[in-house]
C-alpha cells in the first residue's frame, strides 16, 4: 500500500490545524522559520493556499474528517495528485515560491522535509541579510 501511494498518483488532502496560542507556544518542538515579506507576497501566499483546496460543486470547501490534533484539526480534499514527485514537501516549496521566495520545487530539492526546511532557512537568512543592507 505504501509503495502504491508513492508510485501511483492518488488524491491529495490538506491537513489544517487551527491554533489558539502563538505558534511558538502551540508547537514548541517545531523548527519554525520566520520570513520577512511584503503585503503583496503575503497576499500571493494566501491566494495560493486557498487555491490548494478542492472545492465541491457549489464552490465550497468540504471537510473529509477530523484531523490528528484535536478539535481544531481537519482534513480537506486538495487539488492535485499525491505521488513520489508531488508530496507535502513539494507543496510547501511551491507555497514558499508563491510567497516570493526563490524556492526550488524540483524532486531533488523537495526530497524530504529536511531539504525544504534547509531551503527555507537559507532563503529567510538571505532575505533578512538583504533587508539589513543599506
Amino acid at each position: 500500500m505504501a509503495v502504491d501511494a508513492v508510485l501511483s498518483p492518488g488524491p491529495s488532502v490538506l491537513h489544517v490545524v487551527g491554533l489558539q496560542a502563538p505558534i511558538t507556544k502551540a508547537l514548541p518542538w517545531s523548527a519554525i522559520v520566520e520570513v520577512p515579506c511584503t503585503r503583496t507576497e503575503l497576499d500571493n501566499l494566501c491566494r495560493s493556499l486557498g487555491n490548494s483546496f478542492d472545492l465541491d460543486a457549489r464552490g465550497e470547501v468540504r471537510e473529509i474528517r477530523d484531523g490528528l490534533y484535536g478539535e481544531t484539526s481537519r482534513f480537506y480534499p486538495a487539488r492535485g495528485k499525491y505521488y513520489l514527485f508531488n508530496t507535502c514537501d513539494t507543496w510547501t516549496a511551491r507555497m514558499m515560491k508563491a510567497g516570493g521566495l526563490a524556492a526550488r520545487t524540483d524532486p531533488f530539492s523537495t526530497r524530504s522535509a529536511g531539504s525544504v526546511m534547509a531551503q527555507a532557512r537559507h532563503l529567510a537568512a538571505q532575505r533578512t541579510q538583504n533587508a539589513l543592507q543599506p
Side-chain angles (χ1 to χ4, degrees):
M1 194 162 84
V3 171
D4 188 45
V6 171
L7 299 177
S8 178
S12 58
V13 297
L14 290 168
H15 186 203
V16 179
V17 181
L19 302 174
Q20 296 287 333
I23 194 166
T24 52
K25 288 189 187 258
L27 306 172
W29 64 88
S30 295
I32 297 167
V33 178
E34 290 187 42
V35 180
C37 65
T38 66
R39 182 65 199 186
T40 299
E41 290 168 335
L42 181 59
D43 289 346
N44 290 339
L45 171 61
C46 290
R47 190 175 306 103
S48 291
L49 284 166
N51 288 337
S52 295
F53 289 90
D54 187 25
L55 306 179
D56 66 16
R58 294 180 297 171
E60 296 178 6
V61 175
R62 65 188 184 283
E63 178 184 323
I64 297 173
R65 65 181 177 98
D66 290 348
L68 303 176
Y69 305 113
E71 293 181 16
T72 62
S73 174
R74 303 283 184 275
F75 284 101
Y76 298 92
R79 292 185 175 166
K81 298 291 182 186
Y82 181 91
Y83 64 104
L84 179 63
F85 299 117
N86 191 41
T87 65
C88 54
D89 301 315
T90 311
W91 179 87
T92 300
R94 281 198 312 268
M95 292 303 112
M96 289 170 25
K97 199 168 197 169
L101 294 177
R104 296 182 315 273
T105 59
D106 61 275
F108 180 77
S109 300
T110 61
R111 68 189 176 280
S112 68
S115 60
V116 174
M117 289 301 292
Q119 276 197 76
R121 283 189 297 274
H122 172 76
L123 293 168
Q126 200 174 48
R127 181 169 280 203
T128 301
Q129 183 179 14
N130 290 344
L132 296 175
Q133 292 179 355

